[in-house]
Amino acid sequence: MTVVTLPADWLDELKWDEQGLIPAIAQDDQTGDVLMVAWMNRDALARTVETGQAVYWSRSRKKLWHKGESSGHLQRVSDIRTDCDADVILLKVQQTGGIACHTGRYSCFYRQLQKKSDSKQTDSHKWRETDPIIKDPGEIYPGDQ
Amino acid sequence: MTVVTLPADWLDELKWDEQGLIPAIAQDDQTGDVLMVAWMNRDALARTVETGQAVYWSRSRKKLWHKGESSGHLQRVSDIRTDCDADVILLKVQQTGGIACHTGRYSCFYRQLQKKSDSKQTDSHKWRETDPIIKDPGEIYPGDQ
């Protein structure tokens, strides 16, 4: 991906944190479901705008992360918003393959806080997985095996 | 609000940042629209669970923030989720008054990145406000005037 990124006022209007990053929420533009949250630096957001596909900054790998570059699960971006504080980005996306999560699930938010039925204690809740694995991660990322 | 908060395994499973905080997305449980992003500490999330209403941590005021305590725009919480990394919370809420934003708008994400029609330069975008002010902030927060 070769993209020339010039200075842009709209990028300057955002509040980047001390690492030069801003959190970005990806939301399915059809269902409205929240799919994932990742981080962007200026370059990632500029490339997202220029290519029409979500590009994030991988904090663990410390490099640009063109979502779907390994898995094929690209995100086509139909809408980019920011909030009143200009410190969060909201992307509406069309999720290729219907899988946003590296675990092979549709959404990363597959764990729901549920009440344990047999307890009246304050610690009466637990996280439960509610969403199925659509595709085995070993099939999605064969190079990682 | 008097709530006794005991240690809880489900709170320990979350990844709190170095300030002991986690970002929380509030999503309208009827429309699916993302309303706002705020921060929670352990106490805020425990109180959210115990009261069924969104309680955040105000980083500017450095205290618990029972959303709607001034404005009346409470959020009744119907679903609490976390993501694969356990470092973001997603709340589904019923937004009292239909106003989540302190600017008097339905959602905090009222600015959309739009292309300037008259430019082919790289800096050919700008943020435009797309959502109306439903209620004047001066009416919402009369004590601040």
Side-chain angles (χ1 to χ4, degrees), chain A residues 51-91:
Chain A
T51 64
Q53 298 183 354
V55 178
Y56 302 103
W57 175 256
S58 169
R59 293 185 299 173
S60 56
R61 289 178 286 150
K62 298 192 197 310
K63 63 174 200 171
L64 286 177
W65 163 36
H66 182 189
K67 169 73 180 166
E69 63 193 351
S70 310
S71 63
H73 298 152
L74 300 169
Q75 295 177 332
R76 293 180 200 287
V77 177
S78 58
D79 191 20
I80 300 178
R81 293 179 170 267
T82 192
D83 68 348
C84 49
D85 294 328
D87 60 2
V88 181
I89 293 290
L90 176 63
L91 304 178

Short mmCIF file of all heavy atoms in Angstrom, two decimals, chain A residues 51-91:
data_model
loop_
_atom_site.label_atom_id
_atom_site.label_comp_id
_atom_site.label_asym_id
_atom_site.label_seq_id
_atom_site.Cartn_x
_atom_site.Cartn_y
_atom_site.Cartn_z
N THR A 51 -7.80 4.90 1.58
CA THR A 51 -8.04 3.60 0.95
C THR A 51 -9.49 3.13 1.10
O THR A 51 -9.90 2.23 0.38
CB THR A 51 -7.14 2.51 1.59
OG1 THR A 51 -7.50 2.37 2.97
CG2 THR A 51 -5.68 2.89 1.47
N GLY A 52 -10.22 3.72 2.06
CA GLY A 52 -11.59 3.25 2.28
C GLY A 52 -11.65 1.94 3.05
O GLY A 52 -12.72 1.33 3.17
N GLN A 53 -10.49 1.50 3.57
CA GLN A 53 -10.44 0.27 4.38
C GLN A 53 -9.78 0.59 5.72
O GLN A 53 -8.86 1.40 5.78
CB GLN A 53 -9.64 -0.81 3.65
CG GLN A 53 -10.27 -1.21 2.31
CD GLN A 53 -9.52 -2.34 1.62
OE1 GLN A 53 -8.47 -2.76 2.08
NE2 GLN A 53 -10.08 -2.81 0.52
N ALA A 54 -10.22 -0.10 6.75
CA ALA A 54 -9.71 0.21 8.09
C ALA A 54 -8.24 -0.16 8.22
O ALA A 54 -7.83 -1.30 7.94
CB ALA A 54 -10.52 -0.53 9.15
N VAL A 55 -7.45 0.83 8.62
CA VAL A 55 -6.03 0.62 8.94
C VAL A 55 -5.82 1.10 10.37
O VAL A 55 -6.18 2.24 10.70
CB VAL A 55 -5.12 1.41 7.97
CG1 VAL A 55 -3.65 1.22 8.34
CG2 VAL A 55 -5.38 1.00 6.52
N TYR A 56 -5.31 0.23 11.22
CA TYR A 56 -5.08 0.56 12.62
C TYR A 56 -3.58 0.60 12.91
O TYR A 56 -2.76 0.31 12.04
CB TYR A 56 -5.74 -0.48 13.54
CG TYR A 56 -7.24 -0.63 13.32
CD1 TYR A 56 -7.77 -1.71 12.61
CD2 TYR A 56 -8.13 0.32 13.82
CE1 TYR A 56 -9.14 -1.85 12.41
CE2 TYR A 56 -9.50 0.19 13.62
CZ TYR A 56 -9.99 -0.89 12.92
OH TYR A 56 -11.35 -1.01 12.71
N TRP A 57 -3.25 0.97 14.15
CA TRP A 57 -1.88 0.90 14.64
C TRP A 57 -1.82 -0.24 15.64
O TRP A 57 -2.54 -0.23 16.64
CB TRP A 57 -1.45 2.21 15.30
CG TRP A 57 -0.09 2.13 15.92
CD1 TRP A 57 0.19 2.01 17.26
CD2 TRP A 57 1.17 2.16 15.25
NE1 TRP A 57 1.55 1.96 17.45
CE2 TRP A 57 2.18 2.05 16.24
CE3 TRP A 57 1.56 2.27 13.91
CZ2 TRP A 57 3.54 2.04 15.93
CZ3 TRP A 57 2.90 2.26 13.60
CH2 TRP A 57 3.88 2.15 14.59
N SER A 58 -1.00 -1.22 15.37
CA SER A 58 -0.84 -2.33 16.30
C SER A 58 0.13 -1.93 17.40
O SER A 58 1.31 -1.71 17.14
CB SER A 58 -0.32 -3.58 15.57
OG SER A 58 0.05 -4.55 16.54
N ARG A 59 -0.39 -1.81 18.62
CA ARG A 59 0.48 -1.42 19.74
C ARG A 59 1.45 -2.54 20.09
O ARG A 59 2.56 -2.27 20.54
CB ARG A 59 -0.37 -1.05 20.97
CG ARG A 59 -1.21 0.21 20.73
CD ARG A 59 -1.94 0.63 21.99
NE ARG A 59 -2.86 -0.43 22.42
CZ ARG A 59 -3.53 -0.41 23.56
NH1 ARG A 59 -3.39 0.61 24.40
NH2 ARG A 59 -4.36 -1.38 23.87
N SER A 60 1.05 -3.79 19.91
CA SER A 60 1.95 -4.90 20.25
C SER A 60 3.06 -5.05 19.20
O SER A 60 4.22 -5.24 19.55
CB SER A 60 1.17 -6.21 20.38
OG SER A 60 0.45 -6.47 19.19
N ARG A 61 2.69 -4.92 17.94
CA ARG A 61 3.70 -5.09 16.87
C ARG A 61 4.35 -3.77 16.48
O ARG A 61 5.30 -3.75 15.71
CB ARG A 61 3.04 -5.74 15.64
CG ARG A 61 2.69 -7.21 15.89
CD ARG A 61 2.01 -7.83 14.68
NE ARG A 61 0.62 -7.36 14.55
CZ ARG A 61 -0.03 -7.23 13.39
NH1 ARG A 61 0.58 -7.49 12.25
NH2 ARG A 61 -1.29 -6.81 13.38
N LYS A 62 3.82 -2.66 17.02
CA LYS A 62 4.36 -1.34 16.76
C LYS A 62 4.49 -1.05 15.26
O LYS A 62 5.54 -0.59 14.78
CB LYS A 62 5.71 -1.13 17.45
CG LYS A 62 5.63 -1.22 18.97
CD LYS A 62 6.90 -0.73 19.63
CE LYS A 62 7.01 -1.18 21.08
NZ LYS A 62 5.81 -0.90 21.89
N LYS A 63 3.41 -1.34 14.55
CA LYS A 63 3.40 -1.00 13.12
C LYS A 63 1.97 -0.88 12.63
O LYS A 63 1.03 -1.31 13.31
CB LYS A 63 4.17 -2.04 12.30
CG LYS A 63 3.60 -3.44 12.32
CD LYS A 63 4.38 -4.31 11.34
CE LYS A 63 3.58 -5.56 10.95
NZ LYS A 63 4.19 -6.31 9.87
N LEU A 64 1.83 -0.28 11.44
CA LEU A 64 0.50 -0.15 10.85
C LEU A 64 -0.07 -1.54 10.61
O LEU A 64 0.65 -2.47 10.24
CB LEU A 64 0.58 0.62 9.52
CG LEU A 64 0.81 2.13 9.63
CD1 LEU A 64 0.94 2.73 8.24
CD2 LEU A 64 -0.32 2.82 10.40
N TRP A 65 -1.37 -1.63 10.82
CA TRP A 65 -2.06 -2.91 10.72
C TRP A 65 -3.27 -2.71 9.80
O TRP A 65 -4.26 -2.16 10.21
CB TRP A 65 -2.46 -3.37 12.13
CG TRP A 65 -3.49 -4.44 12.21
CD1 TRP A 65 -3.67 -5.50 11.38
CD2 TRP A 65 -4.50 -4.56 13.23
NE1 TRP A 65 -4.72 -6.27 11.80
CE2 TRP A 65 -5.23 -5.73 12.93
CE3 TRP A 65 -4.84 -3.82 14.37
CZ2 TRP A 65 -6.31 -6.15 13.73
CZ3 TRP A 65 -5.90 -4.24 15.15
CH2 TRP A 65 -6.62 -5.39 14.84
N HIS A 66 -3.08 -3.13 8.56
CA HIS A 66 -4.18 -3.09 7.61
C HIS A 66 -5.08 -4.28 7.94
O HIS A 66 -4.76 -5.43 7.59
CB HIS A 66 -3.62 -3.18 6.18
CG HIS A 66 -4.67 -3.10 5.12
ND1 HIS A 66 -4.41 -3.33 3.79
CD2 HIS A 66 -5.99 -2.80 5.19
CE1 HIS A 66 -5.52 -3.19 3.09
NE2 HIS A 66 -6.49 -2.87 3.91
N LYS A 67 -6.17 -3.99 8.63
CA LYS A 67 -7.07 -5.04 9.13
C LYS A 67 -7.46 -5.99 7.99
O LYS A 67 -7.95 -5.52 6.95
CB LYS A 67 -8.31 -4.38 9.72
CG LYS A 67 -9.47 -5.30 10.05
CD LYS A 67 -9.20 -6.15 11.25
CE LYS A 67 -10.38 -7.06 11.53
NZ LYS A 67 -10.03 -8.13 12.50
N GLY A 68 -7.21 -7.27 8.17
CA GLY A 68 -7.54 -8.26 7.15
C GLY A 68 -6.37 -8.62 6.27
O GLY A 68 -6.52 -9.47 5.38
N GLU A 69 -5.21 -8.01 6.51
CA GLU A 69 -4.07 -8.28 5.62
C GLU A 69 -3.64 -9.75 5.70
O GLU A 69 -3.18 -10.31 4.72
CB GLU A 69 -2.89 -7.34 5.94
CG GLU A 69 -2.33 -7.51 7.32
CD GLU A 69 -1.37 -6.39 7.74
OE1 GLU A 69 -0.99 -5.56 6.90
OE2 GLU A 69 -1.01 -6.37 8.94
N SER A 70 -3.79 -10.37 6.89
CA SER A 70 -3.48 -11.80 7.01
C SER A 70 -4.73 -12.65 6.82
O SER A 70 -4.69 -13.68 6.15
CB SER A 70 -2.93 -12.12 8.42
OG SER A 70 -1.89 -11.26 8.77
N SER A 71 -5.83 -12.24 7.41
CA SER A 71 -7.03 -13.07 7.47
C SER A 71 -7.93 -12.93 6.25
O SER A 71 -8.79 -13.78 6.01
CB SER A 71 -7.83 -12.69 8.71
OG SER A 71 -8.27 -11.33 8.62
N GLY A 72 -7.76 -11.82 5.52
CA GLY A 72 -8.71 -11.52 4.45
C GLY A 72 -9.95 -10.81 4.95
O GLY A 72 -10.80 -10.39 4.16
N HIS A 73 -10.07 -10.65 6.26
CA HIS A 73 -11.26 -10.04 6.85
C HIS A 73 -11.15 -8.51 6.88
O HIS A 73 -11.12 -7.89 7.94
CB HIS A 73 -11.51 -10.60 8.25
CG HIS A 73 -11.77 -12.08 8.24
ND1 HIS A 73 -11.49 -12.92 9.29
CD2 HIS A 73 -12.27 -12.88 7.27
CE1 HIS A 73 -11.82 -14.16 8.97
NE2 HIS A 73 -12.30 -14.17 7.76
N LEU A 74 -11.09 -7.94 5.69
CA LEU A 74 -11.02 -6.49 5.52
C LEU A 74 -12.28 -5.81 6.06
O LEU A 74 -13.34 -6.43 6.12
CB LEU A 74 -10.91 -6.15 4.03
CG LEU A 74 -9.72 -6.71 3.26
CD1 LEU A 74 -9.94 -6.50 1.76
CD2 LEU A 74 -8.44 -6.03 3.71
N GLN A 75 -12.12 -4.54 6.39
CA GLN A 75 -13.29 -3.73 6.77
C GLN A 75 -13.40 -2.55 5.80
O GLN A 75 -12.53 -1.69 5.76
CB GLN A 75 -13.11 -3.20 8.21
CG GLN A 75 -13.10 -4.31 9.24
CD GLN A 75 -12.86 -3.82 10.66
OE1 GLN A 75 -12.21 -2.79 10.85
NE2 GLN A 75 -13.36 -4.54 11.63
N ARG A 76 -14.47 -2.53 5.02
CA ARG A 76 -14.74 -1.39 4.13
C ARG A 76 -15.47 -0.33 4.94
O ARG A 76 -16.48 -0.62 5.55
CB ARG A 76 -15.59 -1.83 2.94
CG ARG A 76 -14.82 -2.76 2.03
CD ARG A 76 -15.61 -3.22 0.82
NE ARG A 76 -15.00 -4.43 0.30
CZ ARG A 76 -13.84 -4.46 -0.37
NH1 ARG A 76 -13.21 -3.33 -0.63
NH2 ARG A 76 -13.32 -5.60 -0.80
N VAL A 77 -14.94 0.87 4.91
CA VAL A 77 -15.41 1.93 5.81
C VAL A 77 -16.43 2.82 5.10
O VAL A 77 -16.14 3.39 4.04
CB VAL A 77 -14.22 2.77 6.30
CG1 VAL A 77 -14.70 3.92 7.17
CG2 VAL A 77 -13.23 1.89 7.05
N SER A 78 -17.62 2.93 5.69
CA SER A 78 -18.68 3.74 5.06
C SER A 78 -18.91 5.06 5.79
O SER A 78 -19.57 5.94 5.26
CB SER A 78 -19.97 2.94 5.02
OG SER A 78 -20.36 2.53 6.31
N ASP A 79 -18.39 5.20 7.00
CA ASP A 79 -18.67 6.40 7.80
C ASP A 79 -17.57 6.54 8.85
O ASP A 79 -17.17 5.54 9.45
CB ASP A 79 -20.04 6.24 8.48
CG ASP A 79 -20.56 7.54 9.11
OD1 ASP A 79 -20.09 8.63 8.73
OD2 ASP A 79 -21.43 7.44 10.00
N ILE A 80 -17.08 7.76 9.03
CA ILE A 80 -16.08 8.03 10.06
C ILE A 80 -16.59 9.20 10.89
O ILE A 80 -16.91 10.26 10.35
CB ILE A 80 -14.71 8.38 9.43
CG1 ILE A 80 -14.20 7.23 8.57
CG2 ILE A 80 -13.69 8.73 10.53
CD1 ILE A 80 -12.87 7.50 7.88
N ARG A 81 -16.67 8.99 12.21
CA ARG A 81 -17.17 10.03 13.11
C ARG A 81 -16.20 10.23 14.27
O ARG A 81 -15.39 9.36 14.58
CB ARG A 81 -18.55 9.64 13.67
CG ARG A 81 -19.62 9.63 12.60
CD ARG A 81 -20.99 9.22 13.12
NE ARG A 81 -21.97 9.46 12.08
CZ ARG A 81 -22.68 10.59 11.96
NH1 ARG A 81 -22.55 11.56 12.85
NH2 ARG A 81 -23.54 10.75 10.98
N THR A 82 -16.33 11.38 14.91
CA THR A 82 -15.64 11.58 16.18
C THR A 82 -16.63 12.15 17.18
O THR A 82 -17.73 12.58 16.81
CB THR A 82 -14.38 12.46 16.03
OG1 THR A 82 -13.61 12.38 17.25
CG2 THR A 82 -14.73 13.91 15.75
N ASP A 83 -16.24 12.14 18.44
CA ASP A 83 -17.19 12.54 19.49
C ASP A 83 -16.95 13.98 19.93
O ASP A 83 -16.08 14.68 19.39
CB ASP A 83 -17.15 11.54 20.66
CG ASP A 83 -15.84 11.59 21.42
OD1 ASP A 83 -14.87 12.22 20.93
OD2 ASP A 83 -15.78 11.00 22.51
N CYS A 84 -17.73 14.40 20.91
CA CYS A 84 -17.70 15.81 21.35
C CYS A 84 -16.32 16.22 21.86
O CYS A 84 -15.94 17.39 21.72
CB CYS A 84 -18.76 16.04 22.43
SG CYS A 84 -18.74 14.82 23.77
N ASP A 85 -15.57 15.27 22.42
CA ASP A 85 -14.23 15.59 22.91
C ASP A 85 -13.16 15.36 21.84
O ASP A 85 -11.97 15.64 22.09
CB ASP A 85 -13.88 14.72 24.13
CG ASP A 85 -14.76 15.05 25.33
OD1 ASP A 85 -15.16 16.22 25.46
OD2 ASP A 85 -15.05 14.14 26.12
N ALA A 86 -13.56 14.85 20.69
CA ALA A 86 -12.63 14.55 19.59
C ALA A 86 -11.48 13.64 20.03
O ALA A 86 -10.36 13.75 19.53
CB ALA A 86 -12.07 15.84 18.97
N ASP A 87 -11.80 12.72 20.96
CA ASP A 87 -10.76 11.80 21.40
C ASP A 87 -11.11 10.32 21.19
O ASP A 87 -10.45 9.44 21.76
CB ASP A 87 -10.36 12.07 22.86
CG ASP A 87 -11.51 11.92 23.84
OD1 ASP A 87 -12.63 11.56 23.40
OD2 ASP A 87 -11.29 12.16 25.04
N VAL A 88 -12.15 10.07 20.40
CA VAL A 88 -12.51 8.71 20.00
C VAL A 88 -12.97 8.77 18.54
O VAL A 88 -13.60 9.75 18.14
CB VAL A 88 -13.66 8.12 20.86
CG1 VAL A 88 -13.99 6.70 20.42
CG2 VAL A 88 -13.32 8.15 22.34
N ILE A 89 -12.63 7.73 17.77
CA ILE A 89 -13.11 7.60 16.39
C ILE A 89 -14.14 6.48 16.33
O ILE A 89 -13.98 5.44 16.98
CB ILE A 89 -11.93 7.27 15.43
CG1 ILE A 89 -10.96 8.44 15.34
CG2 ILE A 89 -12.43 6.86 14.05
CD1 ILE A 89 -11.49 9.66 14.61
N LEU A 90 -15.21 6.70 15.57
CA LEU A 90 -16.20 5.66 15.32
C LEU A 90 -16.24 5.38 13.82
O LEU A 90 -16.51 6.29 13.03
CB LEU A 90 -17.58 6.12 15.81
CG LEU A 90 -18.75 5.19 15.53
CD1 LEU A 90 -18.60 3.85 16.24
CD2 LEU A 90 -20.08 5.84 15.96
N LEU A 91 -15.93 4.14 13.45
CA LEU A 91 -15.99 3.72 12.05
C LEU A 91 -17.23 2.86 11.85
O LEU A 91 -17.49 1.97 12.67
CB LEU A 91 -14.81 2.83 11.67
CG LEU A 91 -13.39 3.33 11.88
CD1 LEU A 91 -12.41 2.22 11.47
CD2 LEU A 91 -13.14 4.58 11.05
#
